Amino acid sequence: MSDRAPSMLNLLRARLNQGHRTLDFPRSASPLPERYRGMPHVDPAKCADGCRACADACPVDAISVGAQGQRPDPRIDLGSCVFCADCVQACPTSALRYTQEFRMAARTRQDLVVGAEGMKLAQALDAKSRALFGRSLKLRQVSAGGCNGCEVEVNVLGTIVFDIVRFGIQMVASPRHADGLLITGPVTRNMRLALQKTYDAVPGPKLVIAVGGCAISGGPFRDHPQVTNGADATLPVDLYVPGCPPHPLTILDGLLRLLGRIEEGKR
């Protein structure tokens, strides 16, 4: 015991010196690193007539610029975007840039297609669903062929910094103990049946959250014969969280908006 006492005291001193490490989210959020790529911003006024440089540079065809001969009005599909910044580098007039805005989750696939007007953030579930899930939500995470990027960001939510459990949200080991699924990966054909069986094992009513570009659209693997282009080709999706991978705050913000824990429209 005498050998362990000094070590324990040192641990306690270190913990006291570190102070409170959990983010005060959603009341505030720590500044993100300068290199972080969040919500893309489009300024159509800077676009040159007939220019398609951003759309041609996009490796996943996430950008559309309107009909030939018309003034470009770039629209970006966040559900397909891999946030690579090739479009920004290709744009000759700096009409495109990435911001530090991490709030990007949406309730519908259509809401992920954004232009100069911005996007419609995720709205809360109906009153009955909020009464069921609003204070306690248990999710079974399913990696349906992911690269482990999104999976790592989901795992980070359980650390002392984000502490997702304080909001009543927990990841559970069995779908029979879950209120819904949190899906990552493009849903490969080899995983489609496993995903369906996992969903069937969750007692109803239940939720489905698609996290990351792969789970939303197939990401860079879209239309490959071995993937099914995301979760909603197999299951009904209640929340889409874009990113490659999404920041933990993007995931957490989306979940809290879905549960009505963040006021509608608040950024």
Side-chain angles (χ1 to χ4, degrees), residues 100-114:
Q100 294 241 303
E101 179 56 72
F102 61 84
R103 301 168 180 88
M104 293 183 281
R107 290 295 307 277
T108 70
R109 186 70 181 83
Q110 292 75 19
D111 287 340
L112 291 175
V113 181
V114 301

Side-chain angles (χ1 to χ4, degrees), residues 175-190:
R176 299 189 186 281
H177 299 161
D179 299 309
L181 301 182
L182 188 151
I183 303 168
T184 55
V187 188
T188 60
R189 295 197 178 276
N190 286 342

